[in-house]
Amino acid sequence: MTITDLSNPKNRAQTMAPIMSAFAAGTAMGPALGGLLADHVGIQPTFYLVGLSYLGLTLVNHSLLVETKTLPIVYPWQQQNGT
């Protein structure tokens, strides 16, 4: 996550709080809003709208966010042992 890469241990809670709050709010309000939308326009258009929203957010994230962690990840099983 970009926010995790840019924060340090002292301000990590402060930088992660808005993201986690938005995630919790979306989890709490999503089913209710989806149900209201499905009642008004139908179930199939609701699924199309959600799918297009995800596609749009994917394109926005891809165009606006840059990779912040440039070091390669080396897992313990990939390390070269001196033996």
Side-chain angles (χ1 to χ4, degrees), residues 2-32:
T2 302
I3 297 296
T4 306
D5 292 342
L6 297 176
S7 66
N8 58 43
K10 289 185 178 181
N11 70 351
R12 187 151 299 143
Q14 184 179 1
T15 56
M16 291 291 290
I19 294 171
M20 299 308 292
S21 297
F23 182 78
T27 302
M29 295 187 321

Side-chain angles (χ1 to χ4, degrees), residues 4 12 32 36 44-45 48 50 60 70-71 73-74 77-79:
T4 306
R12 187 151 299 143
L36 290 172
Q44 191 171 7
Y48 285 137
V50 170
V60 167
T70 57
L71 298 175
I73 298 173
V74 179
W77 59 86
Q78 296 173 328
Q79 292 177 353

Side-chain angles (χ1 to χ4, degrees), residues 32-79:
L33 293 176
L36 290 172
L37 188 61
D39 281 346
H40 287 287
V41 297
I43 197 82
Q44 191 171 7
T46 301
F47 276 101
Y48 285 137
L49 181 64
V50 170
L52 287 173
S53 298
Y54 280 132
L55 181 63
L57 286 173
T58 300
L59 295 173
V60 167
N61 285 340
H62 184 69
S63 64
L64 295 180
L65 295 178
V66 295
E67 182 60 48
T68 56
K69 191 168 184 127
T70 57
L71 298 175
I73 298 173
V74 179
Y75 296 102
W77 59 86
Q78 296 173 328
Q79 292 177 353

